[in-house]
Amino acid sequence: MKFRCHRCGNVSEVPDGVKSAECLFCGAVNVFEVETPASSENTQYQRDESPSLAPGNRYSEEPTQIAPSSGAVPPFQSDNNYGNYGGNMMPPPPKKKNTLAVLFLIVALVVVVAGGCVWYFTSQRGADKPKIENIEEYQEDMVRNFYTECVFGSPTLRDLKSSLSPRMLEKVRTSDSKYAMYKFLTGEASSSDKESRLISVTSSEDNMVRVDYIDNGVKATSLVTLKEFDGEWKISDVELINKEEAAKENKVESVEVQRPEVGKYTYSYTGDVDDDYPIRGTLTFTEKSSGGYILSGKYAYESTLRKYGDKKTSWINVNGSIDEYGNVYWKESISGNPDYDSHFNGSYTGDFRNFYGSVGSDGGHTLTLSR
């Protein structure tokens, strides 16, 4: 006997006389109300929900199962009530997912990770930076390096960005590769035969640093203002003492400087470095026809002379000059020590009677000499 399954619509064959049977394709239980010949199909059926037809009771009278013919390919089988009707494949409906909960978890994870990154980088900001113990010395060194490397040297964009505030950087920028460093000077026209150099840098109060320099033969003073940006000190403004005031200062200093008679003079001196280390030495001054003096000589620490004796290597040699305004500069060296690097910037009073200024590779020490 053949019958058409009420679930999947496929035709199965079972022995004659049975009252119910499972579909050989989908396993659904079919109950027959009318028996038909084996050659015909039973289209009269209903679902039997009785316990006797529960899964495991394949037939109510345990007939012999007849398998489908060889080569037959079973259609799509479903675990739900959606089957194959008329041979058409009907996929099961998608399983419902709680997409809102998944989305919430993803957003929460992103927020936690982002917050952790922000906390880490914020806590690490400045962790590698050395602690500034003396803010005034730090500011002096910063401004001194800026004038040496950028104002009187060859500035690069990287140097300027590390030294200037964004506002100050725009004030000196003239193009992508040119910068107006004259804004930190007097604005005098550039001249190859006139002197331009840094004289001294002195910290003032309220994060201001006084810079004394010579710009194309004109001595002047600028006040540099520093401001802290994200834990880094940068130059935020600069103010020039006008030329009339600068001229007055130069005039006062020129009165104090009493030039000796034309010729060559040598004097012995005693003094100290940083008020703690006694020194002594001799300096020779040779007047130049164009004004100013050529300076040469030597000095030594008393402690070095006591320890090593009066040897050539115990003395620090000096060679430099004094300009017409009384500013003193010399370069230092030690015999047999090519790595020694130091220089002096300062001034003198009277007829070479007293010298005062900064000394060292970075000008970080104070030197005085008197005769």
Side-chain angles (χ1 to χ4, degrees):
M1 179 181 68
K2 295 182 179 180
F3 69 94
R4 185 179 298 277
C5 179
H6 69 85
R7 173 188 286 181
C8 65
N10 287 291
V11 177
S12 299
E13 186 174 356
V14 297
D16 294 339
V18 297
K19 295 180 179 180
S20 64
E22 293 182 0
C23 175
L24 299 180
F25 294 96
C26 69
V29 177
N30 292 263
V31 179
F32 315 123
E33 296 179 352
V34 180
E35 296 182 1
T36 60
S39 61
S40 63
E41 295 182 359
N42 176 23
T43 58
Q44 306 284 334
Y45 53 85
Q46 64 181 11
R47 183 186 297 271
D48 186 359
E49 303 294 343
S50 63
S52 62
L53 297 179
N57 296 332
R58 193 169 182 83
Y59 310 106
S60 59
E61 298 181 1
E62 299 183 357
T64 304
Q65 179 179 348
I66 300 178
S69 59
S70 61
V73 179
F76 172 80
Q77 297 187 15
S78 174
D79 293 334
N80 48 45
N81 291 331
Y82 293 86
N84 183 345
Y85 293 91
N88 294 324
M89 302 294 289
M90 297 181 64
K95 295 182 180 180
K96 295 183 178 180
K97 295 181 179 179
N98 195 340
T99 56
L100 183 60
V102 174
L103 180 61
F104 175 79
L105 290 176
I106 294 175
V107 172
L109 180 61
V110 171
V111 170
V112 171
V113 173
C117 292
V118 171
W119 171 84
Y120 175 79
F121 288 110
T122 302
S123 64
Q124 293 300 312
R125 177 179 293 178
D128 297 333
K129 296 178 182 178
K131 182 180 179 181
I132 301 176
E133 297 181 356
N134 190 320
I135 188 63
E136 293 184 353
E137 290 185 2
Y138 174 84
Q139 292 176 346
E140 287 180 357
D141 291 341
M142 175 188 170
V143 174
R144 182 181 296 105
N145 291 336
F146 174 74
Y147 267 79
T148 301
E149 301 296 333
C150 297
V151 179
F152 293 111
S154 301
T156 65
L157 180 58
R158 181 178 181 180
D159 295 334
L160 296 179
K161 281 185 175 181
S162 64
S163 302
L164 303 180
S165 68
R167 173 179 167 273
M168 198 67 205
L169 181 61
E170 291 304 315
K171 288 180 65 175
V172 302
R173 187 197 297 268
T174 57
S175 68
D176 291 338
S177 59
K178 295 183 180 180
Y179 312 98
M181 291 293 97
Y182 64 83
K183 293 183 180 292
F184 290 91
L185 300 171
T186 64
E188 292 289 325
S190 178
S191 175
S192 59
D193 60 346
K194 292 184 179 181
E195 186 179 17
S196 294
R197 65 176 176 85
L198 180 66
I199 298 176
S200 63
V201 177
T202 307
S203 177
S204 182
E205 56 185 22
D206 298 328
N207 297 321
M208 299 184 69
V209 176
R210 170 179 171 142
V211 183
D212 295 290
Y213 56 89
I214 297 176
D215 180 21
N216 289 288
V218 176
K219 184 178 179 182
T221 299
S222 291
L223 292 178
V224 174
T225 301
L226 300 177
K227 187 175 180 181
E228 195 171 8
F229 292 85
D230 296 329
E232 295 183 353
W233 288 96
K234 294 188 178 184
I235 297 174
S236 63
D237 197 10
V238 60
E239 180 183 359
L240 170 70
I241 295 179
N242 61 48
K243 295 181 180 180
E244 289 77 17
E245 291 180 358
K248 290 179 182 179
E249 287 189 358
N250 292 338
K251 183 177 181 180
V252 172
E253 291 190 13
S254 64
V255 172
E256 293 179 353
V257 177
Q258 301 175 7
R259 294 187 1 182
E261 297 179 2
V262 176
K264 185 175 182 179
Y265 305 90
T266 301
Y267 300 101
S268 298
Y269 293 88
T270 59
D272 57 65
V273 174
D274 293 340
D275 296 326
D276 290 327
Y277 305 98
I279 58 175
R280 61 184 169 94
T282 58
L283 296 176
T284 298
F285 311 91
T286 304
E287 188 172 9
K288 297 188 296 184
S289 59
S290 58
Y293 296 87
I294 297 174
L295 183 152
S296 61
K298 63 181 181 179
Y299 73 90
Y301 288 87
E302 294 288 0
S303 58
T304 302
L305 294 174
R306 288 195 301 269
K307 184 174 182 179
Y308 298 102
D310 188 0
K311 299 180 180 180
K312 189 176 182 180
T313 55
S314 299
W315 292 88
I316 299 173
N317 304 308
V318 302
N319 289 279
S321 62
I322 301 176
D323 64 20
E324 55 185 313
Y325 303 107
N327 300 302
V328 182
Y329 175 83
W330 71 57
K331 182 72 175 176
E332 299 184 350
S333 63
I334 297 178
S335 298
N337 187 356
D339 297 328
Y340 183 79
D341 179 25
S342 180
H343 58 270
F344 173 86
N345 270 306
S347 58
Y348 74 97
T349 60
D351 53 347
F352 308 126
R353 187 161 296 277
N354 300 295
F355 287 82
Y356 177 87
S358 59
V359 69
S361 60
D362 57 356
H365 302 278
T366 301
L367 181 146
T368 59
L369 286 173
S370 301
R371 69 179 179 91

